[in-house]
């Protein structure tokens, strides 16, 4: 059956084709990601208890590895993962999580990581799941980052670990020196590049916030030689 955009893309479940004794990939850049997703379904579909274990391990690995990649590339020594901070919403004090914060001179890089995947269901049959995916993968990370920007640009904030111990204090900083990167594990380059222009983006887009896929981030890390150039690029990319 021919593929149409409103149908399920076949390579989501079968990323390889066998011709004779050889195997070929339809789309090489997503081959490993699709292989990972298929392996996940095989392992978890018959044992629901394994799904939570897998998700926890995936969350732990991505939230530590991605900030570490950035810090090692640009030799950032002050980076913190699995952070918590307090904020006030509707008069109530709440505590929420941040995946990573990187400090460099007068610059602050806030990193949020979303490991979810766009639904494999047909968009024509289950459009609501696509809307929910967009919100969970793209919107929430930027909103979380903007909330932290607003706090830091208005006052000193305290960052805690998961046990409530103080990790560091971040002084009040001008918002122009604070950047947010929302990294999607799924290879969604075309969507991440234009998401802020869609109706699903509810964030203000008035701060230095961008949404990029992990594959794009790896390209950036390979391309930029120093952290000054990297921050300069971020300032321009956020305004584009």
């Amino acid at each position: 059956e021919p593929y149409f955009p409103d149908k399920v893309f076949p390579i989501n479940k079968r990323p390889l084709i066998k011709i004779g004794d050889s195997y070929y990939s339809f789309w090489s850049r997503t081959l490993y990601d699709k292989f990972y997703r298929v392996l996940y379904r095989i392992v978890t579909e018959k044992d629901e208890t394994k799904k939570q274990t897998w998700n926890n391990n995936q969350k732990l690995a991505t939230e530590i590895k991605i900030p570490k990649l950035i810090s090692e590339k640009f030799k950032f020594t002050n980076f913190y993962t699995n952070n918590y901070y307090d904020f006030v919403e509707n008069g109530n004090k709440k505590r929420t999580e941040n995946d990573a914060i990187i400090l460099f001179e007068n610059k602050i890089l806030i990193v949020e990581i979303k490991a979810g995947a766009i639904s494999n269901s047909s968009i024509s049959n289950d459009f609501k799941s696509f809307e929910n995916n967009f919100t969970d993968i793209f919107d929430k990370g930027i909103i979380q980052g903007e909330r932290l920007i607003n706090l830091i640009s208005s006052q000193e904030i305290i960052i805690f670990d998961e046990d409530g111990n103080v990790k560091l204090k971040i002084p009040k900083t001008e918002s122009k020196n604070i950047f947010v990167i929302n990294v999607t594990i799924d290879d969604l380059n075309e969507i991440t590049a234009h998401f802020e222009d869609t109706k699903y983006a509810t964030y203000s887009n008035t701060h230095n916030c961008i949404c990029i896929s992990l594959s794009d981030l790896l390209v950036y890390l390979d391309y930029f030689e120093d952290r000054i150039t990297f921050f300069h690029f971020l300032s321009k990319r956020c305004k584009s």
Side-chain angles (χ1 to χ4, degrees), residues 70-123:
I70 299 173
S71 298
E72 288 179 347
K73 167 65 180 183
F74 299 117
K75 297 180 173 57
F76 293 126
T77 56
N78 296 320
F79 76 97
Y80 306 86
T81 60
N82 195 25
N83 309 307
Y84 293 83
Y85 63 93
D86 296 328
F87 71 101
V88 177
E89 184 178 67
N90 298 324
N92 298 315
K93 186 177 180 180
K94 299 181 178 181
R95 179 162 293 183
T96 191
E97 183 185 10
N98 155 261
D99 292 330
I101 295 175
I102 298 173
L103 307 178
F104 169 62
E105 295 182 351
N106 67 332
K107 301 287 194 298
I108 299 174
L109 180 61
I110 299 167
V111 181
E112 297 291 346
I113 300 157
K114 299 301 175 185
I118 291 294
S119 173
N120 287 326
S121 303
S122 169
I123 188 172

Side-chain angles (χ1 to χ4, degrees), residues 128-185:
K128 190 62 180 179
S129 69
F130 276 82
E131 289 186 306
N132 293 336
N133 285 158
F134 271 60
T135 299
D136 290 339
I137 296 175
F138 304 111
D139 219 27
K140 286 185 178 180
I142 296 295
I143 291 173
Q144 292 167 349
E146 284 195 325
R147 179 173 59 213
L148 194 47
I149 287 179
N150 290 332
L151 281 173
I152 298 174
S153 61
S154 64
Q155 63 188 53
E156 177 187 75
I157 71 163
I158 300 175
I159 301 298
F160 305 91
D161 63 18
E162 58 185 346
D163 296 320
N165 302 310
V166 176
K167 295 174 69 174
L168 76 152
K169 296 180 180 180
I170 302 178
K172 179 179 178 181
T173 305
E174 289 185 87
S175 60
K176 68 178 182 180
N177 292 322
I178 309 174
F179 300 85
V180 174
I181 297 180
N182 183 45
V183 183
T184 68
I185 303 303

